[in-house]
Amino acid sequence: MREIKTNWTNEELKIYILIYCANANFSESKFEIDFIKSKIETSNFEKIHQEFKEDNDYQSIQKIQLSIKNQGYTNGDLGILFKEIKELFLSDKKYDVLEKNLNRGLSRILNN
């Protein structure tokens, strides 16, 4: 297995996490993609989206955890991030059980 490394900016981390969350129910809706693009300032969406597609779930979680740690996220930063994640989940007017479970799981993983 290859070593997990990231060299993302804060913006790229946010894009990756939101893409990861958009795939909670194994499909990205147009509403979710439009939401993500409305929340970013750079043109890195396609690059980060391609990287996400090449990663498995384990790699995604490892990259997210490592990057959150490296970026020095505070509890306040995580609170803002989880607010945006919840907005993403609601962007298609559905908040299904898979999205709820992912939100709980990420909260446990990232708040430790």
Side-chain angles (χ1 to χ4, degrees), residues 34-63:
D34 289 346
F35 175 85
I36 295 169
K37 288 181 176 179
S38 77
K39 293 292 184 180
I40 61 175
E41 298 174 8
T42 67
S43 60
N44 291 337
F45 178 83
E46 293 304 326
K47 177 184 97 167
I48 298 298
H49 194 259
Q50 184 59 42
E51 182 173 348
F52 171 80
K53 286 180 182 180
E54 294 171 6
D55 292 339
N56 62 38
D57 196 55
Y58 175 80
Q59 291 167 321
S60 293
I61 291 294
Q62 294 301 307
K63 285 181 174 184

Side-chain angles (χ1 to χ4, degrees), residues 8-21:
W8 293 330
T9 64
N10 198 19
E11 176 94 346
E12 290 168 333
L13 171 59
K14 179 178 168 180
I15 294 167
Y16 192 92
I17 291 171
L18 292 176
I19 291 170
Y20 181 77
C21 290

Side-chain angles (χ1 to χ4, degrees), residues 17-33 35-36 61 81-108:
I17 291 171
L18 292 176
I19 291 170
Y20 181 77
C21 290
N23 283 273
N25 55 3
F26 308 105
S27 67
E28 305 165 339
S29 74
K30 179 179 178 351
F31 297 108
E32 291 167 329
I33 296 302
F35 175 85
I36 295 169
I61 291 294
L81 177 64
F82 278 103
K83 182 177 180 273
E84 287 187 346
I85 290 170
K86 183 82 178 254
E87 289 173 14
L88 169 70
F89 287 148
L90 296 173
S91 67
D92 60 0
K93 310 290 189 245
K94 296 177 261 177
Y95 188 38
D96 65 37
V97 70
L98 293 171
E99 292 169 331
K100 289 176 186 175
N101 288 340
L102 178 61
N103 197 32
R104 267 188 237 115
L106 269 180
S107 180
R108 285 188 181 117

